[in-house]
Amino acid sequence: MSLTYEDVIAKYEPVLGLEVHVELNTNSKMFCGCSTVFGGEPNTQTCPVCLGMPGALPVVNEKAIESSILIGLALNCSITPFSRFSRKNYFYPDMPKNFQISQYDEPICVNGYLDVEIDTDDGVKKFRVEIERVHMEEDTGKSLHVGGATGRIHGADYSLLDYNRAGIPLVEIVTKIVPGTGRYAPEVAKAYVAQLRDILRSLGVSDVRMEQGSLRCDANVSLRLIGAEKLGTRSETKNVNSLRSVERAVRGEMIRHAELLNKGERVVQETRHFQEDTGLTRSGRSKEQAEDYRYFPEPDLVPVAPDAAWIEKLRASLPEHPSVRRNRLQEQWGVPDKEMAAMLNADALEIVEATVLLGADPTRARGWWLGEISRIANEKNVAIADLAISPKDVAEIVALVATGDLTDKLARQVVEGVINAEGSPQEVINSRGLKVVSDETALMAAIERAIAAQPETAEKIRNGHIPAAGALIGAVMKETKGQADAARVRELLLGHLGQPTN
Amino acid sequence: MITKSAYEMSAAMAAGETSSVALTQAHLDRISAVDQHVHAFLHVDTEGALAQAKAVDDARARGEKVGPLAGVPLALKDVMVQQGIPTTCGSKILEGWRPPYDATVVTKLKNAGVVILGKTNMDEFAMGSSTENSAYGPTHNPWDLTRIPGGSGGGSSASLAAFEAPLAIGTDTGGSIRQPAAVTGTVGVKPTYGGVSRYGLIAFSSSLDQAGPCARTVLDTALLHEVIAGHDGKDATSINAPVPQVVKAARDGNVKGMKIGFVKELNGDGYQPGVRSRFEESLELLAKAGAEIVEVSCPNFEYALAAYYLIAPSECSSNLARFDAMRYGIRVGDSDGASAESVMNLTRQVGFGREVKRRIILGTYALSSGYYDAYYGSAQKVRTLIMQDFTKAFTSADVLVSPTCPTTAFKIGEKANDPLAMYLNDIATIPVNMAGIGGMSLPCGLAPEDNLPVGFQIMAPAMQDQRMYTVGAALEAALLDQWGAPLLSRIPALAGTQ
Amino acid sequence: MSSLSRSDVANLARLARIDMSDEELDHLATEMDVILGAVARVQEVATPEIAPTSHPIPIHNVTRPDVVVASLSPQAALSGAPAQEDARFRVPQILGEEA
Ligand SMILES: [Mg+2]
Ligand SMILES: [Zn+2]
């Protein structure tokens, strides 16, 4: 228990392997016409096919194939000229046919890669994650465990099954083993999933919501002594439902493995479940006897053999690659490397771009999202995207500041109001009475009162000691409850005391 | 009327000589009278059949144009799902299940106005050659009630021979339409794989299963073939091409100039003498009708049976996994604290019969890691070889022919404890399924030694199903000439009737 | 030639989820030996250069458009269920890997 991360990486080299399951956002299921809409009443999106009824047959969703090819192309894969579905046979009540239609030895895409960058103390480092395969399969139904103390599967008296999710199209993206990441393994894993998610989002093939399970990551981790050839035994951690968890799970498993190895114990090859609360993994009851999936070609489906014309048509429809787009935006917006990294780390690129596209100045848009809004998100422990403030709101606020209708200080209050669901920026301004005091007579009166209250300070200014102006400006702002434009107050004050105003 | 052909019944209805309701009632009466002896039916849908018959009569009365088989009764093999009608596939595990949907074949039958009388008995999940493997008791051969009616579609073929229905639907995975047709003296066709939709056909072996028409004449079989065939978007293996013109071929029946190849390997040792002699006489009749008879060799056919008994069990071990007591069918052992797994285990122990378990275990083994290549993989290679044999043979012949099975109907119980002997029944029918081509069996006489029907098999290249009908119609006509009356007119009266 | 022991058959029965008595296992092990002996003949001709055939009719790229069609009503979907509750299929407790 006393091992630190530094101890681990001093002695061991981590080897990663990542399997990501992506739910495609097709309208209908993988092999039948049932709707895929999330959250329907139980068993309202089922038919003989996805219930595995006797006699029912699957037919592949064309869009699912095209989405899979798009994913393969975006990940620099080869699209195989001949691919097939297979049956993966094992019994489980949430799987209606007791086999999963998946792809086995003939997947649709193979041999790609994704380059990921991570920000380190030694600058930006680049890693190439090689992709072994991209294949199609179907999801299972959902079970609700009833009875027992925990509501979990163990101790439940019985289970209730809803097959609305059974047959939802899934794409599984499997990396080759990723050696050579060293101390950065957890960050590389996280960056890989983040970038994969950005690509999938840009392709428009999935909702990529990790918390809703439309993007799920299984992290395989093993350790070997530095310099050793042979790979160590790996564990496979499931249930990793956020980017942060990917990083925590890999780091946690590295430490757990190292502790076992240092004690001379064996790492068990098994499935482990990530615990969001503790950041640790828990063993998933390894089965007494290994499963034998008895894969064989699915006889109810025919091969998928995309011809060159089909593939090229899809290639032509590929959107700008996220990394290309990133570089383009960085250049267009003139963002320094460090801040670009910060923006990516905060997962804010998308939202900042949306704000800029609505007319906001890039620097200011970035400032709001990474500054005040990120601060509030941190406080609330949510993602900025989940706050009740939109790119449109921020663009509006930036515009109001630019026209002088809001001061920065007032704008912060508007942001707070919008996030508190008080309405649009304009509604918050109205309801909170946030107005810049622009009546110069009123401002002059306030300035004179401030001078009268602090005659010595005024005298210093008259004598050319400009920095002293701050105290008087502060007093005016205080009197106007922050609703005055501080820059204008300064101008008026300095002019009144016979000093240059810029 | 019930001994007439479907074509004649249809003509009689069109002429107003009878109605579909009367015809349907006559068949229901016949079923009431004889099915206690034959046991061709597992379920008779009296109400549904009469309602469908009345709908056809009403349509005709309104002057609507109806299809050629509208109002003609039909027996449906219980392997096909029919909405709301008990569908068991001959298995206890599905006892009481009423499907919430129709098979595509059923939809087509309903659309054509065909009257579905009920569901016919079969070997459990279509695994067998005698209908003895039905969980609901065997079907008896109307020619001799102590004998088997063939299988798996023994119920469908027996219903035809017993005049309980003029038309029936069968399915053929290794001979389950043709072998019952042969031993009951009726006609049965396994169309080209993909010619008839499998949607709603409870799968035994997906890459081999094919539904097809059964009747008492070649023309009736063709008429039914055209009703049920055609592309179906719900079946990915369905052929997207026009249906072969089988009715036209059955009406033509002209074999002049056709080359008919008899398969050397599907005759000889192991074939009953009477089967061989009737087969050879039929060849002569075809030659007389103007066909050229040639000999072809298919050396890999001798491995077909072995390959079949690996491929079919492998696919069935997976297809039948869905019968797990969770969503439909019976559930056994769901007592307090029982796990889902133990309920599955117990339900499948009780719900499946011996032959089904035997094949599931065999298939599980053939697919398991370490054995896949030696068994399933090798069997798929044999399949390639058999297809090559056919391709080569079809370069020298338009159709291939053989006896449908090596023997006539054997006694119920005779081979029940010898799976390998039972499997040998399908030795001549299996190559057709392995290659996905079409096959027909039609009666070619009675074996002199036992006075039981002999089947003549015709095989045609994929998507050339019409060739079987041409040859079948020619042979049927030549035999009728010789006999003066259909073979079935010689069937003994059923015990306890007439 | 392979020979199956009772425990081999028991393992297959476990994979296939069929409860079997010792007697059944013994009987089946004997039968399997006979059947396997017969079907193993495929190995005589299945040489490496022969491509396996899994679909008798060589067609490919059969798909359906991504269009939603009506599902069954939940009543119809559940009509054959051995047990149900709250529009869901009720099944005995599931033991196994914790999710
Ligand atoms: Mg998978
Ligand atoms: Zn569905």
Side-chain angles (χ1 to χ4, degrees):
Chain A
M1 291 297 127
S2 54
L3 271 189
T4 66
Y5 188 67
E6 291 301 323
D7 295 335
V8 176
I9 53 161
K11 187 167 174 188
Y12 298 104
E13 193 213 339
V15 176
L16 288 173
L18 297 159
E19 287 173 29
V20 171
H21 283 90
V22 185
E23 252 183 36
L24 298 180
N25 59 2
T26 51
N27 295 321
S28 62
K29 292 187 180 181
M30 188 75 196
F31 300 115
C32 65
C34 290
S35 166
T36 58
V37 169
F38 192 79
E41 291 295 310
N43 294 304
T44 52
Q45 291 154 232
T46 65
C47 71
V49 177
C50 58
L51 286 172
M53 281 193 179
L57 295 173
V59 184
V60 185
N61 185 331
E62 180 173 31
K63 173 117 186 279
I65 293 179
E66 296 202 329
S67 295
S68 308
I69 294 175
L70 283 172
I71 293 169
L73 291 172
L75 296 175
N76 308 294
C77 292
S78 311
I79 311 303
T80 51
F82 183 91
S83 89
R84 268 200 294 197
F85 288 96
S86 286
R87 292 186 183 177
K88 180 180 183 179
N89 293 287
Y90 65 102
F91 284 79
Y92 209 79
D94 63 10
M95 198 166 54
K97 304 181 291 295
N98 286 318
F99 58 79
Q100 182 193 34
I101 304 179
S102 181
Q103 293 194 295
Y104 178 52
D105 51 353
E106 295 162 297
I108 187 151
C109 317
V110 294
N111 295 330
Y113 62 86
L114 183 59
D115 287 330
V116 301
E117 287 178 1
I118 58 164
D119 190 33
T120 73
D121 293 341
D122 305 329
V124 171
K125 284 196 189 295
K126 202 167 170 179
F127 294 89
R128 172 157 292 190
V129 177
E130 291 190 284
I131 311 282
E132 182 175 295
R133 57 190 283 141
V134 174
H135 75 248
M136 298 176 270
E137 57 187 35
E138 55 177 338
D139 210 345
T140 60
K142 294 284 163 273
S143 33
L144 188 72
H145 306 296
V146 181
T150 58
R152 286 210 306 250
I153 187 164
H154 286 294
D157 295 328
Y158 58 91
S159 299
L160 296 176
L161 291 167
D162 170 12
Y163 293 103
N164 283 352
R165 306 310 289 165
I168 299 280
L170 291 179
V171 161
E172 184 173 335
I173 301 161
V174 183
T175 68
K176 296 183 182 170
I177 59 162
V178 190
T181 53
R183 66 161 61 237
Y184 303 116
E187 284 101 324
V188 170
K190 177 188 170 190
Y192 166 76
V193 178
Q195 196 171 327
L196 188 57
R197 186 199 52 180
D198 291 348
I199 289 175
L200 296 167
R201 188 189 284 139
S202 77
L203 293 172
V205 296
S206 169
D207 299 337
V208 289
R209 306 280 301 242
M210 288 191 88
E211 68 291 352
Q212 279 185 6
S214 58
L215 186 89
R216 320 197 267 265
C217 177
D218 300 343
N220 296 334
V221 176
S222 67
L223 294 184
R224 62 180 167 196
L225 282 170
I226 288 174
E229 279 280 303
K230 195 168 168 282
L231 293 171
T233 306
R234 69 187 159 86
S235 62
E236 182 179 357
T237 304
K238 293 191 182 282
N239 270 11
V240 195
N241 291 334
S242 70
L243 290 179
R244 188 165 153 257
S245 301
V246 174
E247 187 174 348
R248 290 169 78 208
V250 171
R251 194 183 307 273
E253 280 298 278
M254 285 169 62
I255 295 172
R256 189 181 67 83
H257 285 206
E259 280 166 352
L260 287 171
L261 296 172
N262 280 1
K263 279 188 280 184
E265 290 176 20
R266 225 163 41 85
V267 174
V268 182
Q269 177 158 352
E270 63 179 351
T271 298
R272 300 189 63 90
H273 295 285
F274 185 70
Q275 314 283 90
E276 202 62 58
D277 44 356
T278 59
L280 300 174
T281 64
R282 180 164 48 78
S283 172
R285 243 173 62 108
S286 66
K287 295 174 190 154
E288 316 87 76
Q289 280 155 300
E291 267 299 348
D292 179 345
Y293 294 123
R294 290 161 283 133
Y295 283 99
F296 72 103
E298 166 57 280
D300 287 329
L301 294 171
V302 300
V304 178
D307 59 21
W310 192 12
I311 294 169
E312 288 319 308
K313 192 188 108 209
L314 291 167
R315 196 193 302 278
S317 76
L318 282 179
E320 184 180 26
H321 198 277
S323 67
V324 173
R325 170 164 155 268
R326 213 157 53 222
N327 293 340
R328 174 175 59 79
L329 293 177
Q330 184 175 5
E331 196 167 309
Q332 277 176 7
W333 298 348
V335 188
D337 282 353
K338 199 82 191 164
E339 276 154 53
M340 194 68 192
M343 188 156 37
L344 295 174
N345 205 37
D347 199 17
L349 188 66
E350 202 79 28
I351 214 156
V352 169
E353 191 193 14
T355 311
V356 172
L357 289 174
L358 289 163
D361 168 69
T363 309
R364 294 197 183 270
R366 189 157 49 85
W368 280 110
W369 284 111
L370 289 188
E372 185 65 7
I373 300 174
S374 286
R375 190 184 60 74
I376 296 173
N378 274 342
E379 258 172 38
K380 295 183 187 275
N381 205 15
V382 296
I384 51 174
D386 295 332
L387 291 171
I389 189 163
S390 68
K392 184 166 166 282
D393 297 329
V394 174
E396 197 176 327
I397 291 165
V398 170
L400 288 168
V401 173
T403 56
D405 290 312
L406 285 179
T407 63
D408 275 0
K409 189 164 175 192
L410 287 179
R412 272 199 288 278
Q413 291 191 49
V414 177
V415 165
E416 184 194 288
V418 173
I419 290 172
N420 285 343
E422 290 167 27
S424 70
Q426 201 53 58
E427 284 166 351
V428 173
I429 290 168
N430 294 342
S431 64
R432 289 196 179 192
L434 304 175
K435 257 260 156 55
V436 174
V437 177
S438 50
D439 177 347
E440 300 214 340
T441 326
L443 281 183
M444 281 312 295
I447 287 167
E448 270 162 21
R449 276 193 294 279
I451 291 170
Q454 301 183 52
E456 306 92 67
T457 311
E459 198 49 36
K460 279 187 195 160
I461 297 167
R462 281 197 190 90
N463 292 336
H465 187 59
I466 305 294
L472 292 181
I473 295 168
V476 172
M477 294 303 288
K478 190 171 177 191
E479 195 185 320
T480 58
K481 295 185 187 116
Q483 299 188 7
D485 177 353
R488 184 65 188 146
V489 172
R490 179 187 161 90
E491 269 174 25
L492 291 173
L493 175 77
L494 292 179
H496 188 63
L497 297 176
Q499 299 302 316
T501 56
N502 50 357
Chain B
M1 185 54 84
I2 58 170
T3 57
K4 298 237 183 302
S5 72
Y7 176 72
E8 288 162 340
M9 291 178 192
S10 182
M13 282 186 283
E17 291 158 18
T18 187
S19 68
S20 177
V21 168
L23 196 57
T24 301
Q25 190 59 56
H27 284 95
L28 290 169
D29 292 346
R30 173 71 178 172
I31 292 169
S32 296
V34 304
D35 208 51
Q36 54 191 307
H37 306 292
V38 180
H39 194 229
F41 284 87
L42 291 177
H43 177 81
V44 179
D45 181 23
T46 304
E47 245 173 70
L50 288 171
Q52 173 80 334
K54 184 168 184 306
V56 173
D57 286 342
D58 290 350
R60 218 188 281 272
R62 286 193 301 271
E64 286 172 29
K65 192 172 154 36
V66 296
L69 291 178
V72 180
L74 170 141
L76 184 64
K77 189 177 179 183
D78 204 25
V79 70
M80 283 283 175
V81 304
Q82 184 182 353
Q83 189 173 346
I85 302 296
T87 300
T88 65
C89 221
S91 180
K92 195 175 173 60
I93 209 161
L94 273 179
E95 195 166 15
W97 185 56
R98 289 172 186 259
Y101 78 110
D102 275 335
T104 296
V105 163
V106 171
T107 303
K108 284 175 177 278
L109 290 170
K110 286 180 175 177
N111 291 343
V114 175
V115 174
I116 301 173
L117 294 169
K119 309 297 284 293
T120 57
N121 199 13
M122 55 185 284
D123 284 301
E124 183 179 7
F125 288 106
M127 297 175 199
S129 309
S130 66
T131 316
E132 291 166 291
N133 295 332
S134 168
Y136 303 96
T139 296
H140 301 262
N141 192 326
W143 286 86
D144 175 351
L145 293 174
T146 67
R147 290 180 188 264
I148 59 105
S152 64
S156 281
S157 294
S159 76
L160 299 173
F163 301 105
E164 295 171 288
L167 298 172
I169 297 293
T171 59
D172 191 314
T173 304
S176 288
I177 287 176
R178 291 161 288 156
Q179 182 255 7
V183 300
T184 58
T186 59
V187 183
V189 167
K190 176 225 170 281
T192 296
Y193 181 86
V196 176
S197 170
R198 291 188 297 116
Y199 189 76
L201 186 180
I202 300 176
F204 159 21
S205 180
S206 309
S207 74
L208 301 167
D209 295 343
Q210 187 59 203
C214 306
R216 290 188 291 256
T217 70
V218 172
L219 177 59
D220 283 1
T221 313
L223 289 165
L224 184 55
H225 189 136
E226 287 198 2
V227 167
I228 60 174
H231 180 245
D232 180 13
K234 290 178 182 163
D235 174 0
T237 60
S238 168
I239 293 171
N240 194 355
V243 176
Q245 296 195 0
V246 295
V247 172
K248 184 168 174 282
R251 289 206 165 106
D252 267 7
N254 182 357
V255 290
K256 259 196 195 79
M258 273 185 96
K259 279 190 185 167
I260 294 176
F262 72 89
V263 184
K264 192 174 79 177
E265 288 81 3
L266 298 181
N267 203 1
D269 282 354
Y271 286 75
Q272 192 178 316
V275 167
R276 295 184 59 182
S277 58
R278 291 294 173 238
F279 170 71
E280 280 150 23
E281 286 161 22
S282 294
L283 273 186
E284 280 166 33
L285 288 178
L286 285 168
K288 247 185 239 164
E292 183 189 342
I293 312 297
V294 297
E295 181 186 284
V296 299
S297 173
C298 296
N300 293 295
F301 281 15
E302 67 169 298
Y303 301 98
L305 192 66
Y308 175 84
Y309 278 96
L310 287 166
I311 292 170
S314 295
E315 292 184 2
C316 98
S317 71
S318 175
N319 282 329
L320 269 57
R322 70 189 63 200
F323 301 101
D324 65 356
M326 300 294 116
R327 289 161 299 279
Y328 42 75
I330 62 166
R331 180 180 284 183
V332 177
D334 189 5
S335 55
D336 237 13
S339 69
E341 182 172 342
S342 76
V343 168
M344 288 182 190
N345 284 325
L346 287 169
T347 302
R348 289 163 66 81
Q349 178 192 35
V350 172
F352 288 144
R354 272 177 58 184
E355 182 64 21
V356 170
K357 287 183 206 171
R358 187 151 50 213
R359 297 206 198 181
I360 289 176
I361 295 296
L362 178 57
T364 303
Y365 178 73
L367 290 176
S368 61
S369 79
Y371 299 99
Y372 180 96
D373 288 338
Y375 291 102
Y376 185 76
S378 296
Q380 297 284 46
K381 289 182 171 185
V382 168
R383 198 166 183 172
T384 306
L385 295 174
I386 290 166
M387 291 173 79
Q388 288 170 356
D389 278 0
F390 271 121
T391 304
K392 185 159 168 279
F394 282 126
T395 59
S396 49
D398 300 305
V399 296
L400 304 181
V401 295
S402 76
T404 309
C405 8
T407 67
T408 56
F410 49 88
K411 293 269 189 191
I412 290 174
E414 191 183 321
K415 299 185 181 177
N417 291 314
D418 187 352
L420 282 185
M422 184 73 90
Y423 297 169
L424 275 172
N425 248 282
D426 298 328
I427 194 152
T429 47
I430 279 173
V432 162
N433 301 80
M434 299 293 277
I437 67 170
M440 169 189 278
S441 177
L442 76 157
C444 64
L446 303 179
E449 58 268 36
D450 53 20
N451 268 326
L452 288 168
V454 175
F456 184 92
Q457 178 175 235
I458 306 164
M459 301 165 269
M463 300 168 73
Q464 301 296 330
D465 297 9
Q466 75 285 354
R467 289 189 199 168
M468 305 185 285
Y469 286 93
T470 302
V471 177
L475 178 58
E476 185 184 50
L479 287 165
L480 193 59
D481 255 8
Q482 200 175 63
W483 300 332
L487 188 69
L488 274 170
S489 64
R490 284 188 260 164
I491 193 168
L494 291 167
T497 64
Q498 293 167 347
Chain C
M1 234 311 292
S2 41
S3 166
L4 284 183
S5 68
R6 180 212 282 182
S7 84
D8 292 333
V9 178
N11 188 46
L12 294 169
R14 181 188 64 82
L15 280 171
R17 293 280 190 278
I18 302 174
D19 221 38
M20 282 190 188
S21 65
D22 285 352
E23 200 184 326
E24 269 184 287
L25 292 172
D26 282 334
H27 183 69
L28 205 50
T30 316
E31 275 185 345
M32 278 301 127
D33 276 349
V34 176
I35 297 172
L36 283 172
V39 296
R41 286 203 65 202
V42 292
Q43 292 156 16
E44 294 170 17
V45 282
T47 50
E49 75 281 0
I50 302 168
T53 296
S54 55
H55 287 90
I57 307 292
I59 49 180
H60 47 246
N61 294 341
V62 177
T63 59
R64 38 168 277 276
D66 181 28
V67 173
V68 174
V69 300
S71 292
L72 290 174
S73 69
Q75 292 74 26
L78 287 147
S79 60
Q84 54 176 296
E85 190 174 311
D86 296 337
R88 295 175 173 91
F89 295 84
R90 181 177 161 158
V91 305
Q93 55 173 324
I94 303 167
L95 303 177
E97 218 175 75
E98 227 173 292

